[in-house]
Amino acid sequence: MAILVTGGAGYIGSHTVVELLAQGEDVVIVDNLCNSHPVSIDRVEQICQRRPIFYQADIRDKNALIEVFSKHSFTSVIHFAGLKAVGESTTIPLHYYQNNVAGTLVLCEVMAEHGVKNLVFSSSATVYGDPHTVPIVESFPTGATNPYGRSKLIVEEMLGDLYKSDNEWNIALLRYFNPVGAHKSGLIGEDPNGIPNNLIPYITQVAVGRLAQLSVFGDDYNTVDGTGVRDYIHVVDLAKGHLKALAKLDAKAGLVTYNLGTGQGYSVLEMLNAFEKVSGKTIAYQISPRRPGDIAACYSDPSLAKQELNWQAELNLDDMAEDSWRWQQGNPNGFAS
Ligand code: NAD
Ligand code: UFG
């Protein structure tokens, strides 16, 4: 019996595959490599001394998925495959709905046809929209402010309907806060295409000399130093959360929803300082206007995951900064280095 990991060549997927292999699981990856590099799979093998089975396929290609399901017996599916750039989603929304919503739909159809009914879904803190207060608990109202977020919310609702129609499904909706960091080996990490949208890859690319300076989007928020506050979580902690979620599903959990965050918010300038400390570099920055759609502060109350999954984040800000920096230094141009 194996675990199917869609999007397993990507950033969070590859780190989760490492944890699964380390736990002795058999892993099959389906990824179309639209936002990842096949070298990530070689690196996973290098770390684990075991190679996951890999199919380069699109999850919207039903025949390709059926072929994969006919070759392997799966206990569960961890579903990372999707597009994730908020800005891009506003310019090509149909592409986002096609990939994220239709892709999940096809996957669930094939799972149902093969009697595989345990699913872990990558959701996002973005489904909380602009929360009325922080920390955020799972019962807060949801609402999306962009097509990417709406695609996650639609999938959450679709999976809720699926569960209501058939209680044999066990589904974990994991709402990630801000994943950062990299595996301790420095062999896998985040490898964004083009100029990064997110803070940490931008900071590390300035530190390594690939980009000139960071724009800090706004210093007039009602936060500790005026810059935006987020709940950064080490990707290895996040990956381990998926293994705990799988165990919960094996125990017939039904439909469950968890925040995966640390519960601790850091500002942009606090992150910048942490990276300056570990890299020993001065990271040039300028204060720029607020980025449209950004909110002041977003951090989780992760206590439900602690109670019900026996999971909590263990790595701290120094670990996040050191591990991101090690990955960036060793791979200045990502997997293509
Ligand atoms: P990523 O882009 O590194 O990984 C996604 C992987 O899915 C890539 O390898 C890509 O090639 C693959 N993929 C995309 N569409 C596909 C398709 N139709 N068929 C097959 N493969 C496909 O992104 P990530 O950061 O690892 O994110 C993984 C999941 O977590 C995504 O669903 C994302 O929306 C969600 N998420 C990410 C963040 C974040 O900040 N990184 C936050 C919250 C939620
Ligand atoms: N920021 C800058 N300069 C930059 C990039 C970001 O100042 O060049 C600031 C932002 O204004 C924000 C903070 O850094 O205050 C974090 O921004 P990111 O773009 O790294 O992350 P977001 O919180 O905006 O969004 C991320 C993912 C979303 C996901 C969300 C919650 O991009 O997909 O976390 O999980 F939904």
Side-chain angles (χ1 to χ4, degrees):
M1 296 297 269
I3 292 164
L4 173 63
V5 181
T6 74
Y11 173 46
I12 307 170
S14 58
H15 287 82
T16 303
V17 170
V18 165
E19 297 303 320
L20 289 167
L21 291 173
Q23 190 177 270
E25 308 289 351
D26 290 330
V27 176
V28 175
I29 294 173
V30 170
D31 196 306
N32 65 2
L33 302 180
C34 70
N35 195 41
S36 51
H37 202 286
V39 168
S40 72
I41 294 167
D42 301 335
R43 298 284 181 84
V44 165
E45 182 179 13
Q46 209 177 325
I47 294 167
C48 299
Q49 298 301 308
R50 271 179 78 205
R51 192 172 177 86
I53 295 171
F54 171 56
Y55 294 95
Q56 184 172 351
D58 194 299
I59 55 161
R60 292 165 295 174
D61 180 346
K62 193 166 185 180
N63 289 333
L65 275 191
I66 289 173
E67 202 177 323
V68 173
F69 275 75
S70 66
K71 284 190 181 145
H72 304 275
S73 292
F74 297 119
T75 48
S76 314
V77 176
I78 307 182
H79 176 33
F80 293 106
L83 302 177
K84 62 167 183 177
V86 172
E88 185 184 62
S89 78
T90 63
T91 62
I92 46 170
L94 297 183
H95 196 53
Y96 271 67
Y97 291 122
Q98 168 66 230
N99 218 304
N100 295 0
V101 180
T104 307
L105 182 62
V106 172
L107 174 68
C108 289
E109 283 173 354
V110 177
M111 288 176 69
E113 285 163 17
H114 291 79
V116 180
K117 295 189 177 176
N118 284 0
L119 175 67
V120 178
F121 173 62
S122 297
S123 190
S124 168
T126 195
V127 301
Y128 296 113
D130 191 353
H132 56 284
T133 175
V134 279
I136 296 170
V137 295
E138 288 82 351
S139 55
F140 272 23
T142 53
T145 54
N146 55 68
Y148 166 69
R150 201 161 294 116
S151 75
K152 291 290 174 190
L153 214 43
I154 291 171
V155 170
E156 284 202 0
E157 289 176 353
M158 182 175 87
L159 295 176
D161 288 339
L162 179 60
Y163 175 68
K164 274 184 223 148
S165 74
D166 176 358
N167 288 177
E168 279 181 17
W169 280 85
N170 296 290
I171 301 173
L173 308 175
L174 301 184
R175 295 175 175 164
Y176 312 154
F177 282 68
N178 288 53
V180 299
H183 191 262
K184 275 260 170 277
S185 62
L187 290 170
I188 53 172
E190 189 170 12
D191 183 14
N193 276 330
I195 310 252
N197 298 308
N198 297 117
L199 179 66
I200 301 313
Y202 209 108
I203 287 180
T204 58
Q205 290 193 16
V206 172
V208 86
R210 237 172 112 175
L211 295 170
Q213 67 172 2
L214 173 76
S215 294
V216 174
F217 297 141
D219 67 348
D220 56 353
Y221 287 108
N222 184 19
T223 60
V224 57
D225 56 20
T227 65
V229 165
R230 296 290 183 274
D231 183 342
Y232 297 94
I233 173 168
H234 196 294
V235 66
V236 172
D237 277 330
L238 190 62
K240 289 180 175 166
H242 291 73
L243 276 65
K244 296 286 193 179
L246 282 181
K248 181 83 180 168
L249 298 188
D250 283 342
K252 304 261 172 275
L255 177 72
V256 288
T257 304
Y258 299 108
N259 286 339
L260 294 187
T262 65
Q264 165 81 53
Y266 289 108
S267 74
V268 174
L269 293 178
E270 286 171 333
M271 296 306 282
L272 188 125
N273 290 337
F275 276 82
E276 285 191 330
K277 194 177 84 184
V278 305
S279 66
K281 309 253 181 197
T282 301
I283 296 165
Y285 73 93
Q286 63 173 16
I287 304 295
S288 301
R290 291 181 178 194
R291 183 170 64 177
D294 272 357
I295 56 178
C298 173
Y299 55 92
S300 66
D301 177 340
S303 47
L304 190 64
K306 185 173 180 195
Q307 269 167 36
E308 296 194 3
L309 295 181
N310 190 26
W311 171 90
Q312 63 182 331
E314 281 164 1
L315 299 169
N316 62 28
L317 181 55
D318 285 346
D319 298 310
M320 299 180 208
E322 276 165 21
D323 295 341
S324 298
W325 180 234
R326 185 181 307 105
W327 155 251
Q328 181 70 71
Q329 264 192 313
N331 306 268
N333 295 306
F335 288 110
S337 296

